[in-house]
Amino acid sequence: MGSNVTANVTIQQIADKVAAGGRVDRAEALRLYREAPTVLLGRLADGIRARKHPSRTVTYIIDRNVNYTNLCVARCNFCAFYRTVGSPDGYVLGFEEILAKIQETIDLGGNQLLLQGGHNPDLPIQWYEDLFRTVKAKYPDFKLHALSPPEVLHISRINGIPTRQVIDRLIAAGLDSIPGGGAEILVDRVRKALNCYSKATSDEWIDIMREAHQAGLRTTATMMYGTVDTDEDRIDHMMRLRDLQDETGGFTAFITWSYQPEHTEHGGYEATGVDYLRTLALARIVLDNFDNLQASWVTQGGKVGQLSLAYGANDMGSVMIEENVVRAAGAAYCMDEVEIVTNVEDAGFTAKRRNMHYEILGEPVFRERDVPRMLALATARAEGDTSVPEELKNYPARSRAGKALRLAQ
Ligand code: SF4
């Protein structure tokens, strides 16, 4: 349906089509986003959520968000987390530190690391392979949800290896799935304005996800909105994800959050909670081929996170044990498993633990055994810890600062 035709259609007619299970096109999505009352958007999204998840189960995962390095050559202007190469407060985590974080995660009932980091020029692909093999040798059943498409592209570039080969080698070393980070908005005009076009264009992000799906991996998809993006950009982003999902079926879930402006070069303001709920609901309507939508309570807070369950979300994402990126930009709400489950149950749903494939693992861990409460988020490194991991000297550095560091080791 073209935009001229859509202009003659009422919002109610588009709503009826959605309620009957129909697929909206770009023009219909735009009209809903701009004109439909928030309550109507919520009702439509909740209807889709109920069709896809009739048992009123809301899932969550216990995993740990570990950022293996903050050194990054990409320098996205919305990012408050990265440090330039050679910076005194730059870090690379050691294998032993990462193994210790895994053990703590397992002690809390967790089963996965979400492992992402900056684009560090001094970590060749062998570093990632050795890390993954070290983890799998000690914890064979523990899952590695690791390295977003721009990180895969960065590894491909610095090692001169095609992205598909990077994926295959990392799978052979123990990679289980790929997180959908680095998508921001999949519109190149926006990416250029955010200085993240060179880390991965929209096409490159999509192509790497296609390759990952073809290699047999499941991945997630994300959207960070609220910088310089327009309503049309957000919808174009969703359409690109929907098209790839039609093609491969490889996405397990979609997660959206608003840009967090504090301490960033880009600056500006944060989008409102209402904007978040409208965007989430629209995503639930547009992404009709995605099974799962996560609530982003880490950026929105527990109460908006709870409201998300009435606006299309069926998953509470991760019980955060550690968070570094969003916190660097000024926001990081903390909810441990007890609080997540309480929020879910207070909203009238049943809470269940899951894995990355959205298979149910069981009841909340704290109801099965004693686990420590986590009322504060862990950090990648204690403040002031500038230690350099022993094994780094085994990997050749490319940057001048990295070479100097190796010589000093
Ligand atoms: S968002 Fe990622 S790639 Fe961009 S500057 Fe931050 S750490 Fe680097």
Side-chain angles (χ1 to χ4, degrees), residues 208-219:
I208 290 168
M209 279 305 190
R210 182 184 292 106
E211 287 176 345
H213 296 165
Q214 286 168 346
L217 295 184
R218 304 299 303 276
T219 76

Side-chain angles (χ1 to χ4, degrees), residues 183-202:
E184 328 311 353
I185 293 280
L186 293 169
V187 172
D188 286 338
R189 177 188 56 76
V190 176
R191 302 184 76 76
K192 284 175 185 164
L194 298 180
N195 198 36
C196 66
Y197 175 76
S198 56
K199 82 172 177 183
T201 65
S202 307

Side-chain angles (χ1 to χ4, degrees), residues 111-331:
N111 59 358
Q112 173 175 281
L113 275 200
L114 165 53
L115 190 68
Q116 301 182 103
H119 297 190
N120 188 328
D122 298 324
L123 299 178
I125 188 168
Q126 289 81 6
W127 183 88
Y128 298 89
E129 290 176 314
D130 291 348
L131 170 63
F132 290 4
R133 290 206 164 94
T134 303
V135 169
K136 291 291 182 169
K138 187 157 187 197
Y139 302 104
D141 298 329
F142 195 81
K143 300 296 179 197
L144 291 170
H145 182 46
L147 307 181
S148 62
E151 289 167 272
V152 170
L153 184 58
H154 169 74
I155 295 169
S156 151
R157 284 170 175 163
I158 67 167
N159 293 278
I161 303 169
T163 48
R164 176 59 200 259
Q165 267 183 44
V166 170
I167 293 168
D168 288 342
R169 280 179 62 170
L170 293 173
I171 291 173
L175 177 67
D176 291 293
S177 57
I178 286 185
E184 328 311 353
I185 293 280
L186 293 169
V187 172
D188 286 338
R189 177 188 56 76
V190 176
R191 302 184 76 76
K192 284 175 185 164
L194 298 180
N195 198 36
C196 66
Y197 175 76
S198 56
K199 82 172 177 183
T201 65
S202 307
D203 283 349
E204 284 168 336
W205 192 96
I206 289 283
D207 289 346
I208 290 168
M209 279 305 190
R210 182 184 292 106
E211 287 176 345
H213 296 165
Q214 286 168 346
L217 295 184
R218 304 299 303 276
T219 76
T220 54
T222 66
M223 177 173 88
M224 180 196 73
Y225 65 91
T227 53
V228 298
D229 43 276
T230 62
D231 296 345
E232 287 93 338
D233 293 331
R234 298 178 192 183
I235 289 164
D236 285 346
H237 177 101
M238 293 178 199
M239 291 292 170
R240 293 215 67 176
L241 297 178
R242 189 171 80 177
D243 287 348
L244 183 59
Q245 182 74 332
D246 275 345
E247 191 186 322
T248 64
F251 290 120
T252 55
F254 174 76
I255 311 126
T256 186
W257 64 87
S258 58
Y259 160 60
Q260 304 295 310
E262 258 186 64
H263 310 303
T264 66
E265 186 188 332
H266 182 70
Y269 300 96
E270 186 183 347
T272 65
V274 172
D275 195 7
Y276 171 73
L277 293 173
R278 290 184 66 84
T279 305
L280 177 71
L282 187 81
R284 185 59 288 175
I285 292 165
V286 172
L287 298 175
D288 56 357
N289 52 5
F290 276 65
D291 288 338
N292 304 291
L293 255 68
Q294 285 186 18
S296 178
W297 56 262
V298 180
T299 55
Q300 304 299 320
K303 288 302 160 196
V304 176
Q306 187 183 43
L307 256 181
S308 303
L309 302 178
Y311 283 78
N314 64 290
D315 185 87
M316 290 295 266
S318 169
V319 168
M320 274 301 166
I321 297 168
E322 173 171 333
E323 213 297 317
N324 306 290
V325 175
V326 174
R327 172 174 22 207

Side-chain angles (χ1 to χ4, degrees), residues 70 72-76 78-82 117-119 150 184 196 199:
N70 63 350
C72 188
V73 291
R75 309 176 75 158
C76 309
F78 58 84
C79 177
F81 167 71
Y82 78 88
H119 297 190
E184 328 311 353
C196 66
K199 82 172 177 183

